[in-house]
Amino acid sequence: MDAALAREFLSAERSRVEGVLAAAGRLSARAAEAAERELSSAEQHPAELATETIERELDQSLVSHLEAELIELDAALQRVEEGAYGRCEGCGQPISDARLEAAPAARYCVEDQSKLSRNNHRRVGVR
């Protein structure tokens, strides 16, 4: 993938993620306001409180994931500027255009990403 196309593709993806992040923030704010109104108007059943807690945790998890994705997209844009975008950080070989279209911030080719994932999975499973 050439640098101009990569820059355009990454910028579009970054805009998309920023839009989702903004929407998630608005939804979280509305949910927090609704929860405040409910708390001030009546006591809630413990199951309702648990549901709200889980929803807030899911909201925060989504926001954290989107923020991490923005960091990765910014790093990918930096790699474009440095001329390193589309090269695997593991083996140095080109990352396929299909992979870059599916995962624009990809730092590894499919083979090296698979090795990395297997190694991380093994480490997590070992106690």
Side-chain angles (χ1 to χ4, degrees), residues 86-96 99-100 106-117:
R87 289 256 168 224
C88 177
E89 291 181 11
C91 66
Q93 295 299 310
I95 299 171
S96 72
R99 174 152 172 75
L100 292 173
R107 298 180 320 156
Y108 299 96
C109 65
V110 171
E111 294 80 16
D112 284 338
Q113 183 65 57
S114 177
K115 290 176 195 173
L116 185 65
S117 295

Side-chain angles (χ1 to χ4, degrees), residues 18-47:
E18 285 176 327
V20 173
L21 184 59
R26 287 189 302 272
L27 288 174
S28 293
R30 286 186 198 135
E33 289 170 7
E36 286 294 321
R37 282 192 303 272
E38 287 177 14
L39 281 175
S40 64
S41 65
E43 281 192 37
Q44 285 186 301
H45 188 276

Side-chain angles (χ1 to χ4, degrees), residues 6 10-11 13 18 26 28 33 36 38 43 51 53 55 57-58 67 74-75 79 93 100 111 124:
L10 287 164
S11 293
E13 184 65 11
E18 285 176 327
R26 287 189 302 272
S28 293
E33 289 170 7
E36 286 294 321
E38 287 177 14
E43 281 192 37
T51 299
T53 300
E55 287 173 353
E57 288 174 359
L58 288 172
E67 289 171 343
D74 287 342
R79 289 193 301 277
Q93 295 299 310
L100 292 173
E111 294 80 16
V124 169

Side-chain angles (χ1 to χ4, degrees), residues 51-71:
T51 299
E52 287 179 13
T53 300
I54 290 170
E55 287 173 353
R56 281 193 299 273
E57 288 174 359
L58 288 172
D59 288 346
Q60 185 55 47
S61 177
L62 174 64
V63 167
S64 295
H65 175 77
L66 292 168
E67 289 171 343
E69 195 170 342
L70 285 176
I71 290 168

